[in-house]
């Protein structure tokens, strides 16, 4: 998911438009984007959309951000939106493995009730100091956890940390990436609130991409094309990755574990990274 577009669940007129756009994933937001007085109405709109032919046919990743597990809305959200075609439940305000276990148990119960055969994954928001400190434990807490998603706004604003401070952003990104890496799952970058500051969005995306993040959240369609471009492997990266894999096949046949490619030492971690790039290019139908 190079790009994941948030859509307020209270704006059902935007659902089809988002689905027809360029974002690789659509995240319907029942949490922060919906006022308390409209939770039930928004929930019903999401349920109807997930049952529509367009949603059932799409190849995009469909996600729903439910309300936090401590709220009275959580159980109602889960009962309503766990439907065929939904790929991920986005859990906000998660701070403990016990919360993840509880959410997974509810999810499994609703899947059984609805006769779903394919388990739906969990995408965990890392958006509090405790969540950041516990990120590795959260990532490893349940087999259903598919990724960690950083929420820099929620993390930084209460602490008075300046978002423009590159060092603070990089430190938070690095911590989340290491936690996701330990669990072998994906890490996704935060949303960027200023939709007019495309350069700021791009700079943050480029930083997270260098740190191994797979994509970035978008709150406006204008950000989607930038995210898709930043996280797409470049032609030079694909060519270099193929060169590494070719060299690896030769080296393996000769019984060598480490060798040089363009005067740079290569061993298993570099080969694994090259394979990931080539796999990504193949998934995007990019030319060899």
């Amino acid at each position: 998911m190079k790009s994941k577009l948030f859509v307020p669940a209270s704006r059902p007129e935007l659902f089809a438009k988002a689905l027809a756009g360029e974002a690789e994933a659509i995240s319907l937001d029942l949490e922060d984007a919906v006022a308390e007085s409209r939770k039930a109405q928004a929930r019903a709109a999401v349920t109807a959309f997930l049952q529509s032919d367009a949603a059932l046919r799409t190849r995009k990743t469909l996600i729903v951000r439910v309300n936090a597990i401590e709220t009275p809305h959580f159980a109602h959200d889960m009962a309503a939106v766990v439907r065929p075609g939904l790929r991920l439940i986005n859990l906000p305000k998660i701070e403990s493995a016990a919360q993840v276990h509880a959410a997974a148990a509810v999810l499994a119960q609703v899947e059984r009730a609805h006769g779903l055969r394919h388990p739906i994954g969990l995408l965990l928001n890392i958006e509090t100091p405790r969540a950041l400190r516990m990120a590795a434990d959260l990532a490893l807490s349940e087999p259903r956890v598919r990724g960690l998603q950083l929420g820099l706004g929620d993390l930084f604003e209460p602490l008075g940390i300046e978002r423009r401070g590159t060092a603070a952003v990089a430190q938070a990104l690095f911590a989340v990436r290491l936690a996701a890496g330990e669990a072998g799952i994906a890490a996704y970058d935060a949303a960027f609130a200023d939709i007019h500051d495309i350069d700021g969005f791009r700079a943050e995306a480029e930083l997270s991409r260098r740190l191994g993040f797979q994509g970035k959240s978008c709150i406006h369609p204008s950000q989607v094309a930038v995210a898709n471009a930043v996280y797409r492997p470049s032609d030079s990266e694909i060519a270099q990755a193929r060169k590494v894999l070719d060299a690896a096949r030769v080296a393996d046949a000769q019984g060598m574990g480490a060798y040089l490619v363009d005067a740079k030492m290569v061993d298993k971690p570099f080969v694994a990274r090259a394979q990931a790039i080539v796999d990504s290019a193949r998934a995007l139908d990019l030319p060899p």
Side-chain angles (χ1 to χ4, degrees), residues 116-139:
L116 270 63
R117 297 182 179 180
H118 302 290
I120 294 169
L122 296 174
L123 176 62
L124 308 183
N125 281 12
I126 305 299
E127 52 190 340
T128 68
R130 178 179 174 82
L132 187 61
R133 178 168 59 86
M134 300 290 293
D137 290 340
L138 298 175

Side-chain angles (χ1 to χ4, degrees), residues 3 29 50 56 71 94 97 103 106 110 137 162 185 187 205 224 232-233 239 260 268 270 275 277 287:
S3 55
D29 186 9
L50 291 173
L56 292 171
T71 69
I94 288 292
V106 172
V110 179
D137 290 340
E162 174 56 51
I185 60 176
V224 170
R232 171 197 182 280
L260 296 179
K268 286 185 178 180
F270 295 91
Q275 187 64 61
I277 291 172

Side-chain angles (χ1 to χ4, degrees), residues 55-97:
L56 292 171
R57 289 196 309 265
T58 187
R59 297 179 62 184
K60 294 182 185 292
T61 298
L62 297 182
I63 306 167
V64 174
R65 179 161 75 170
V66 296
N67 287 277
I69 192 170
E70 293 85 1
T71 69
H73 304 295
F74 175 77
H76 297 297
D77 289 348
M78 296 292 278
V81 306
V82 174
R83 303 284 172 174
L86 183 66
R87 292 275 300 278
L88 294 169
I89 290 286
N90 181 203
L91 294 178
K93 310 300 187 288
I94 288 292
E95 293 190 314
S96 72

